[in-house]
Amino acid sequence: MSKYARFFLMIATSTLVMFGLMYLNTYQTDHLFFSETRLYMAFYMGAAMAVIMLLFMLKMYTSAAKNSAIFVTAIVIFSGSLWLLRSQSTVEDVSWMKAMIPHHSIAILTSSRANISDPRVKDLANRIVEAQKKEIDEMKQLIEGLSQ
């Protein structure tokens, strides 16, 4: 395997791992849904990582043409995925809810497990947990209804 093929495999594997890692802060497993938004985030992180890693290892990768292709491809992927993330142009009803459920789940995790001592802040955190749980249940019902 060529060193450039290995570089591509390293970036692709790291991008996939980053996509998965974004779900580790989900409160519970039934809040795990595929998210286009997280996919776009993984792509732009992988593209940024490709540029950074190639710059650090430039002496190992000596083909100017291949290096230029990597930089251009990474810039295109970064720009495209950032635009998709920021515009949300491909995110529709169900995919929006599937992205929001893990997002809400993170709020439940952080609000229910933080070491909060002030009663006012604790009250706010408890209200956030209840609101997020209610909204997750509502989104799950809507997904089920819209997916039929």
Side-chain angles (χ1 to χ4, degrees), residues 10 14 23-24 40 46 48 53 58 60 74 80-81 87 91 93 103-104 106 111 115 120-121 125 129-130 134 137 141:
M10 178 176 54
S14 297
Y23 287 95
L24 289 180
Y40 303 148
M53 291 178 76
L58 212 46
M60 291 173 53
S81 57
S87 72
V91 177
D93 297 347
H103 171 78
H104 279 38
I106 294 166
S111 297
N115 188 19
R120 298 166 298 173
V121 179
V129 167
E130 291 309 310
K134 180 182 174 193
D137 289 341
Q141 291 173 3

Side-chain angles (χ1 to χ4, degrees), residues 2 4 54 63-71:
S2 80
Y4 281 98
L54 186 57
S63 171
K66 289 179 183 177
N67 293 348
S68 294
I70 290 170
F71 287 132

Side-chain angles (χ1 to χ4, degrees), residues 18-33 35 37-38 41 45 97-114 116 124-126 128-133 135-136 139:
M18 285 187 286
F19 176 73
L21 290 174
M22 284 188 263
Y23 287 95
L24 289 180
N25 55 355
T26 304
Y27 181 67
Q28 59 193 53
T29 56
D30 69 326
H31 296 168
L32 297 174
F33 287 87
S35 167
T37 300
R38 281 178 171 72
M41 291 166 63
M45 287 187 286
M97 289 184 288
K98 286 182 175 183
M100 290 304 294
I101 290 172
H103 171 78
H104 279 38
S105 187
I106 294 166
I108 294 170
L109 177 83
T110 58
S111 297
S112 65
R113 296 193 178 159
I116 300 171
L124 175 60
N126 289 337
I128 287 170
V129 167
E130 291 309 310
Q132 301 303 306
K133 285 181 178 179
E135 290 174 6
I136 287 172
M139 286 186 279

